[in-house]
Amino acid sequence: MRALNAIRVSGAEVLPLIEGGKGISISNGVSSGAWAASGGIGTFSAVNADSYTPDGRLVRQTYEGKTRRERHEELVAFGIQGGIQQARTAYEMSGGQGRIHANILWEMGGAERVITGILEGAKGLVHGITCGAGMPYRLSDIAARFSVYYYPIVSSARAFNALWKRAYHKTREWLGGVVYEDPWLAGGHNGLSNSENPEKPEAPYPRVAALRKTMNEFGLSDTPVVMAGGVWCLREWEDWLENPEIGPVAFQFGTRPLLTKESPISDAWKRRLLTLKEGDVFLNRFSPTGFYSSAVNNGFINELRERSERQVAYTTEAMGEHTEGFPTGPRGRLVYLTPKDAARARAWTVAGFTEAMRTPDGTLIFVTPEKGAEIRRDQIDCMGCLSACRFSNWAQHEPDYSTGKKADPRSFCIQKTLQDIAHGEDVDSNLMFSGHNAYRFATDPFYSNGFIPTVKQLVERIATGD
């Protein structure tokens, strides 16, 4: 293994090892501060970050507003308050070592307001902003305003080219690095485009080499590329070090920091990670964002898959092959199905899936009355956690704060399930994001006999190449 040399990131010489900024409360001030204290770059999640009372008790994010807009304002306030507290914790724990970054999702509700509020309330404590899930053109302006570095997450050279030409060329001095996130291997939301096949992964090297070539054309040959998604141990990436086709490079670890003493996830979640097998992480498109995402294939994912499989196309009038009337709803309003689909629908109804719910695509899905009531309740309780949500049809833009489409019952309330798994023990009935390499916890000798390292121990291990 080649020597791991320091690299200049966010204005300081640090190890080229970055803690990935996972979503709601999964990387926080404690985990990121410990990572920075070990000489790397710690990243806390600024997505609905947790707040605490003066005596250290968690403030659960409950909403009092009667309308979605009112609840959205509460959510923004929660996000700012929590982000400031996490930034302070991270900075204090770092002891002046390493760097502290904040991670946001551009498509989260109120993203610009939240990160602006955090940077205003935690001036000098955050050194960089990492941002993905969308095309964050205005990220550079926010970073420049507060004199912090910005790190856009992209999955192709083409995406960075668009960001640079439209906005980033104006604030090049604050571009700290470009994160290439492998859209087939990363956990959470993935940047697969419509032209890319989710079932045919492409090797990262040629894609990152193309990104470096584009960056060099813009005079960014000294700006680091951050390789993210699918990174387990550096020994497997040794040929990227001191490689002129890749240039200065750092590596982001999202999955491995989950299994540390400082990681805020539950013990049940940590135990589950130690049992995963190859293929247990599922690339799917159930997310209300509309993006692909990678999550553990548990009861939550299985229910969503089965929900979509119990689906048939319908018409409101008899036409073509849709000749068989089928009663739906409390009034028994007729829709028309093909004879084959009508037989399937009757079988689902006999099995207890008696609730037929309409989707925006002219189809019906069949669920139990209990699941139908849960879906409707979650849609009504929407607090606008995304800029646009296909599950609830919320959109944060005036005048009507709607996507203009019907709410989609094939999806789910992402805020609800991520808050529940972050603050509870139920890891089967909630969304458990994970990178596709998580199965390696069970085979890596470092974790033998259920060993869970401290962040410092993990960073030291990674620095050896393993």
Side-chain angles (χ1 to χ4, degrees):
M1 175 68 191
R2 297 184 185 184
L4 189 64
N5 298 319
I7 190 172
R8 191 160 188 82
V9 175
S10 293
E13 297 288 326
V14 295
L15 291 173
L17 307 177
I18 300 176
E19 176 198 17
K22 298 159 287 294
I24 292 176
S25 305
I26 305 306
S27 53
N28 63 6
V30 172
S31 66
S32 59
W35 194 281
S38 300
I41 302 99
T43 310
F44 70 89
S45 172
V47 181
N48 303 121
D50 282 341
S51 301
Y52 303 93
T53 61
D55 60 353
R57 289 180 292 112
L58 175 69
V59 177
R60 290 304 302 263
Q61 296 185 12
T62 56
Y63 296 86
E64 306 296 334
K66 298 187 183 306
T67 67
R68 290 181 175 185
R69 287 180 60 187
E70 290 172 346
R71 293 192 291 272
H72 177 69
E73 292 303 313
E74 293 178 72
L75 176 131
V76 170
F78 278 132
I80 294 172
Q81 179 182 352
I84 292 171
Q85 287 196 10
Q86 298 303 332
R88 289 173 177 165
T89 298
Y91 187 82
E92 290 168 2
M93 287 201 63
S94 73
Q97 302 300 306
R99 298 278 89 177
I100 298 295
H101 289 181
N103 179 73
I104 64 167
L105 306 178
W106 197 248
E107 295 301 325
M108 77 182 195
E112 294 179 63
R113 294 171 59 196
V114 170
I115 194 61
T116 297
I118 292 171
L119 293 175
E120 285 177 340
K123 288 181 179 178
L125 308 184
V126 177
H127 306 112
I129 316 169
T130 307
C131 183
M135 292 292 280
Y137 293 110
R138 292 185 294 279
L139 174 66
S140 56
D141 293 334
I142 296 171
R145 174 182 165 189
F146 291 95
S147 300
V148 301
Y149 293 89
Y150 62 101
Y151 298 79
I153 300 174
V154 301
S155 58
S156 67
R158 183 175 62 178
F160 179 70
N161 180 70
L163 290 166
W164 177 264
K165 289 184 175 178
R166 178 166 169 179
Y168 293 176
H169 69 278
K170 302 173 186 176
T171 53
R172 63 187 301 152
E173 69 273 23
W174 294 109
L175 179 64
V178 181
V179 182
Y180 171 80
E181 187 174 74
D182 189 307
W184 290 276
L185 294 177
H189 290 105
N190 307 79
L192 281 168
S193 69
N194 292 330
S195 64
E196 292 164 331
N197 189 334
E199 297 181 0
K200 292 186 177 179
E202 297 179 17
Y205 187 94
R207 294 169 68 94
V208 173
L211 172 60
R212 169 56 67 193
K213 181 179 178 182
T214 298
M215 291 171 63
N216 289 350
E217 290 170 356
F218 298 143
L220 301 172
S221 58
D222 293 331
T223 302
V225 168
V226 178
M227 177 60 210
V231 181
W232 186 264
C233 62
L234 293 183
R235 198 174 301 280
E236 298 168 347
W237 303 83
E238 189 173 2
D239 60 337
W240 288 46
L241 299 173
E242 310 300 330
N243 184 329
E245 278 196 305
I246 300 298
V249 62
F251 296 91
Q252 180 169 298
F253 296 81
T255 298
R256 290 189 75 173
L258 286 171
L259 202 58
T260 60
K261 297 290 188 184
E262 293 88 346
S263 169
I265 68 173
S266 68
D267 289 340
W269 192 338
K270 292 178 183 179
R271 289 192 299 269
R272 181 76 175 94
L273 289 172
L274 287 166
T275 67
L276 294 179
K277 298 179 178 61
E278 190 168 6
D280 279 353
V281 175
F282 175 58
L283 183 63
N284 67 85
R285 211 168 188 177
F286 294 125
S287 171
T289 63
F291 295 128
Y292 281 95
S293 67
S294 295
V296 173
N297 200 4
N298 60 3
F300 182 86
I301 290 291
N302 285 333
E303 192 280 324
L304 285 167
R305 184 189 291 111
E306 292 166 1
R307 194 190 306 176
S308 281
E309 288 172 351
R310 292 190 301 271
Q311 183 171 191
V312 294
Y314 74 92
T315 59
T316 55
E317 298 178 358
M319 61 177 68
E321 296 181 350
H322 291 74
T323 57
E324 191 157 340
F326 189 89
T328 62
R331 298 181 182 178
R333 184 175 298 173
L334 285 181
V335 297
Y336 294 86
L337 312 179
T338 66
K340 180 180 179 181
D341 283 345
R344 296 168 66 206
R346 285 192 292 270
W348 294 329
T349 300
V350 170
F353 302 102
T354 57
E355 181 98 13
M357 305 188 78
R358 302 188 185 206
T359 79
D361 299 324
T363 64
L364 299 174
I365 63 165
F366 288 78
V367 298
T368 64
E370 294 78 14
K371 178 58 68 173
E374 178 188 340
I375 290 170
R376 284 190 294 273
R377 182 171 61 252
D378 288 346
Q379 289 171 335
I380 291 169
D381 290 344
C382 173
M383 71 294 291
C385 73
L386 299 173
S387 62
C389 176
R390 66 173 180 151
F391 174 68
S392 69
N393 87 353
W394 154 270
Q396 66 183 19
H397 305 297
E398 298 182 33
D400 55 2
Y401 297 92
S402 167
T403 61
K405 299 179 180 179
K406 291 180 180 178
D408 194 336
R410 294 167 296 188
S411 189
F412 57 91
C413 176
I414 195 167
Q415 172 78 191
K416 172 188 170 185
T417 189
L418 291 182
Q419 286 284 353
D420 284 351
I421 196 169
H423 302 107
E425 294 286 322
D426 186 351
V427 297
D428 189 61
S429 303
N430 284 300
L431 179 66
M432 189 194 303
F433 279 144
S434 178
H436 289 254
N437 270 344
Y439 73 92
R440 297 181 68 169
F441 284 121
T443 59
D444 191 323
F446 185 55
Y447 302 97
S448 296
N449 301 315
F451 174 66
I452 297 177
T454 64
V455 165
K456 186 175 187 297
Q457 289 172 322
L458 175 60
V459 171
E460 288 174 348
R461 173 77 171 187
I462 290 172
T464 68
D466 295 323

